[in-house]
């Protein structure tokens, strides 16, 4: 995934101070260097996740939400989420990030848009620091509750003044603009329907003032487009453009229903898309026109989306799903395995504004996934890179900024069994009501 898309056999990768400083055969590291042997493995850039709601890892396969469409699904889950607090946010983020790391992810964004009972964005940042992943949390928001004709219960919405103040607080407190940054904060009202037109506009102004990125859900399904037409009198792309929500510092989740003009708008403005194929299937939203987007020049990354609407957060599995879904609608040549891997690595890095990540190249950050392809899943393969999308579902080793996060298939940064025990306790308490 370097600029020439080279595929090297038997090469070494030299890492120093979090940066890749050499690639090629027979590199001679410093005497004190640690050597990780990767014979029988494929070494790829760490995968990049561009859309998630980590807090939902505590609400998988909830009865009543399993077979509902998007809006009905939300109405089932809101009362459960309103009982969350800081500990639920932290533990669900630890669990979700662990799952991502084991499936090859080194850089993840997150979209947290509800803050009940004292929960704060830093509950999830703390979790990412513990797990050791590069993290782009976005400060989400909802301000239109049930009493104003919105979907969420009033207890889950905030005033728009408080939302903007807290965005400023978390950007000033945690956003790191430098190359190699481990944490970057974005601004992310939940969707055009959950906040006012004024907040969408002010959020865009604030993000530009602070030099941070903008993120939201857009054009997810037919209902979404119909609501945009009836409430705003225009399609989602037009609404986004009118309020400053297009540009190379903006990325939108889903975009399943973008039409030709909207794809053209996104391509012209370099507005990014987080493609979430499993979630789109799970909620019956449709098939996003990813091939057309990429051909037009729209930056596209991959997202697992929240576990409320995916139930899984396995990023290499998501890459395979992206490939299969394009083929289901566009034919066997609609997306190659290499194209899916590109979307999952440098595509996602571009969407998040990280040209220092998502590729193995000299001078790039040392975010690297090592996949053991000597096992039964990969046996008999004639093309191991292509097979990656039907091969192992877990990495053997994972490095972020040169630091080992996974070794021999196990997380070395956190005590995962203990986290899972805590997760079970919290889930049981939530289920009991
Ligand atoms: Zn989402």
């Amino acid at each position: 995934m370097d600029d020439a898309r080279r595929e090297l056999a038997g090469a070494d990768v030299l890492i120093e101070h979090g940066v890749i400083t050499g690639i090629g055969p027979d590199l001679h590291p410093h005497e004190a260097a640690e050597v990780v042997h990767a014979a029988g493995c494929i070494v790829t850039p760490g995968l990049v996740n561009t859309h998630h709601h980590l807090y939902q890892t505590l609400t998988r396969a909830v009865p009543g939400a399993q077979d509902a469409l998007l809006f009905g699904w939300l109405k089932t889950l809101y009362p459960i989420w309103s009982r969350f607090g800081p500990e639920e946010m932290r533990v669900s983020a630890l669990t979700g990030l662990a799952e991502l790391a084991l499936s090859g992810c080194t850089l993840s964004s997150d979209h947290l848009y509800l803050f009940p009972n004292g929960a704060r964005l830093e509950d999830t940042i703390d979790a990412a620091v513990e797990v050791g992943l590069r993290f782009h949390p976005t400060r989400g928001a909802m301000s239109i509750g049930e009493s104003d004709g919105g979907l969420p219960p009033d207890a889950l919405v905030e005033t728009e003044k408080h939302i903007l103040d807290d965005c400023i607080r978390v950007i000033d407190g945690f956003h790191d603009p430098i190359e190699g940054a481990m944490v970057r904060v974005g601004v992310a009202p939940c969707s055009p329907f959950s906040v006012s037109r004024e907040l969408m506009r002010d959020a865009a102004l604030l993000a530009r003032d602070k030099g941070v990125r903008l993120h939201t859900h857009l054009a997810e399904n037919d209902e979404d487009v119909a609501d945009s037409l009836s409430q705003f009198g225009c399609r989602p792309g037009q609404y986004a453009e009118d309020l400053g929500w297009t540009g190379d510092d903006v990325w939108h989740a889903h975009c399943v229903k973008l039409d030709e003009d909207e794809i053209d708008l996104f391509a012209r403005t370099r507005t990014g898309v987080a493609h979430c194929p499993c979630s789109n299937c799970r909620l019956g939203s449709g098939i996003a026109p990813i091939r057309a987007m990429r051909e037009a020049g729209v930056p596209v990354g991959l997202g697992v989306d929240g576990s409320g609407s995916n139930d899984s957060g396995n990023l290499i599995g998501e890459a395979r799903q992206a490939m299969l879904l394009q083929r289901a609608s566009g034919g066997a040549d609609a997306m190659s395995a290499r194209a899916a891997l590109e979307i999952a690595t440098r595509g996602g890095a571009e969407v998040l504004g990280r040209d220092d990540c998502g590729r193995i190249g000299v001078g790039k950050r040392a975010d690297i996934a090592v996949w053991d392809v000597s096992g039964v899943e990969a046996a008999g393969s004639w093309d191991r890179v292509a097979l990656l999308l039907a091969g192992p579902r877990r990495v053997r080793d994972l490095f972020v900024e040169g630091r080992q996060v996974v070794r021999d298939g196990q997380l070395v940064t956190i005590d995962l069994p203990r986290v899972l025990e805590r997760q079970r306790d919290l889930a049981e308490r939530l289920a009991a009501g």
Side-chain angles (χ1 to χ4, degrees):
M1 291 301 154
D2 64 1
D3 292 344
R5 302 298 191 277
R6 290 180 300 159
E7 292 175 9
L8 307 177
D12 299 332
V13 180
L14 184 62
I15 299 170
E16 292 174 287
H17 307 296
V19 177
I20 296 166
T21 54
I23 302 167
D26 303 319
L27 296 182
H28 295 288
H30 187 272
E31 266 179 12
E34 183 191 352
V35 178
V36 177
H37 293 282
C41 296
I42 295 177
V43 176
T44 69
L47 310 186
V48 179
N49 181 40
T50 61
H51 187 63
H52 208 329
H53 310 286
L54 285 165
Y55 77 91
Q56 293 177 5
T57 314
L58 267 172
T59 50
R60 283 176 163 159
V62 171
Q66 287 173 19
D67 305 316
L69 288 175
L70 179 65
F71 288 4
W73 172 89
L74 284 172
K75 295 209 93 154
T76 305
L77 289 169
Y78 281 142
I80 301 172
W81 294 337
S82 68
R83 300 202 293 276
F84 276 42
E87 178 68 355
E88 283 78 5
M89 293 300 180
R90 192 186 70 87
V91 173
S92 55
L94 281 173
T95 312
L97 290 165
E99 187 182 18
L100 283 173
L102 289 168
S103 69
C105 176
T106 50
L107 163 59
S108 183
S109 66
D110 188 45
H111 188 186
L112 180 57
Y113 51 82
L114 39 89
F115 300 87
N117 307 306
R120 300 192 297 175
L121 194 70
E122 49 265 51
D123 301 325
T124 62
I125 297 174
D126 290 347
V129 170
E130 267 190 70
V131 177
L133 293 199
R134 212 180 285 284
F135 194 45
H136 284 209
T138 60
R139 205 295 181 188
M142 300 191 292
S143 63
I144 302 177
E146 259 170 343
S147 61
D148 293 320
L151 275 181
D154 289 349
L156 280 181
V157 305
E158 303 170 284
T159 67
E160 301 202 333
K161 161 101 176 58
H162 175 74
I163 290 165
L164 290 169
D165 286 348
D166 199 53
C167 284
I168 293 168
R169 182 187 71 83
V170 293
I171 294 166
D172 290 349
F174 301 101
H175 180 72
D176 182 358
I178 66 161
E179 186 169 323
M182 290 298 290
V183 176
R184 282 194 191 160
V185 176
V187 173
C190 181
S191 75
F193 307 105
S194 46
V195 299
S196 72
R197 173 184 283 269
E198 290 69 36
L199 186 73
M200 288 296 285
R201 190 199 54 214
D202 290 348
L205 292 172
L206 173 66
R208 303 250 151 76
D209 183 46
K210 294 282 188 185
V212 302
R213 301 177 90 74
L214 284 165
H215 182 50
T216 193
H217 295 98
L218 201 79
E220 181 164 352
N221 61 16
D222 287 328
E223 260 178 310
D224 201 329
V225 175
D227 280 10
S228 182
L229 289 167
S230 73
Q231 279 187 44
F232 311 135
C234 63
R235 288 188 50 91
Q238 180 75 56
Y239 192 70
E241 187 181 25
D242 288 350
L243 297 173
W245 277 77
T246 50
D248 64 3
D249 54 355
V250 184
W251 85 107
H252 295 284
H254 302 303
C255 299
V256 174
K257 297 294 175 181
L258 289 194
D259 69 11
E260 238 174 83
D261 290 343
E262 288 168 323
I263 290 173
D264 185 51
L265 168 70
F266 275 42
R268 270 189 285 116
T269 55
R270 305 293 298 160
T271 306
V273 168
H275 176 43
C276 307
C278 286
S279 172
N280 297 158
C281 290
R282 164 78 157 75
L283 293 175
S285 301
I287 301 174
I290 297 302
R291 182 178 181 168
M293 287 181 194
R294 279 170 49 87
E295 280 174 359
V298 178
V300 177
L302 197 62
V304 296
D305 203 358
S307 283
S309 65
N310 183 335
D311 301 306
S312 166
N314 184 304
L315 196 50
I316 190 67
E318 200 72 37
R320 175 169 158 82
Q321 186 72 11
M323 176 183 76
L324 296 178
L325 200 54
Q326 288 307 297
R327 291 173 180 220
S329 61
D333 61 353
M335 185 182 286
S336 70
R338 284 172 173 77
L341 191 60
E342 181 175 310
I343 292 170
T345 53
R346 55 185 292 155
E350 184 186 357
V351 163
L352 296 182
R354 297 301 300 252
D355 60 8
D356 55 342
C357 299
R359 66 212 72 187
I360 298 178
V362 172
K364 302 300 177 185
R365 310 318 294 185
D367 293 0
I368 288 173
V370 180
W371 309 85
D372 184 349
V373 288
S374 66
V376 68
E377 320 90 342
S381 172
W382 291 34
D383 176 352
R384 286 186 161 170
V385 176
L387 194 88
L388 189 60
L389 298 175
R393 281 290 167 273
R394 269 172 98 130
V395 286
R396 192 195 77 175
D397 301 302
L398 190 79
F399 297 86
V400 181
E401 191 72 0
R403 293 184 285 263
Q404 193 146 21
V405 172
V406 179
R407 179 180 292 132
D408 292 330
Q410 304 296 325
L411 281 155
V412 293
T413 46
I414 59 167
D415 182 349
L416 185 58
R418 209 158 141 198
V419 170
L420 295 179
E421 204 178 297
R422 185 79 187 117
Q423 154 109 6
R424 274 191 297 276
D425 288 348
L426 292 173
E428 271 170 32
R429 201 190 304 167
L430 287 166

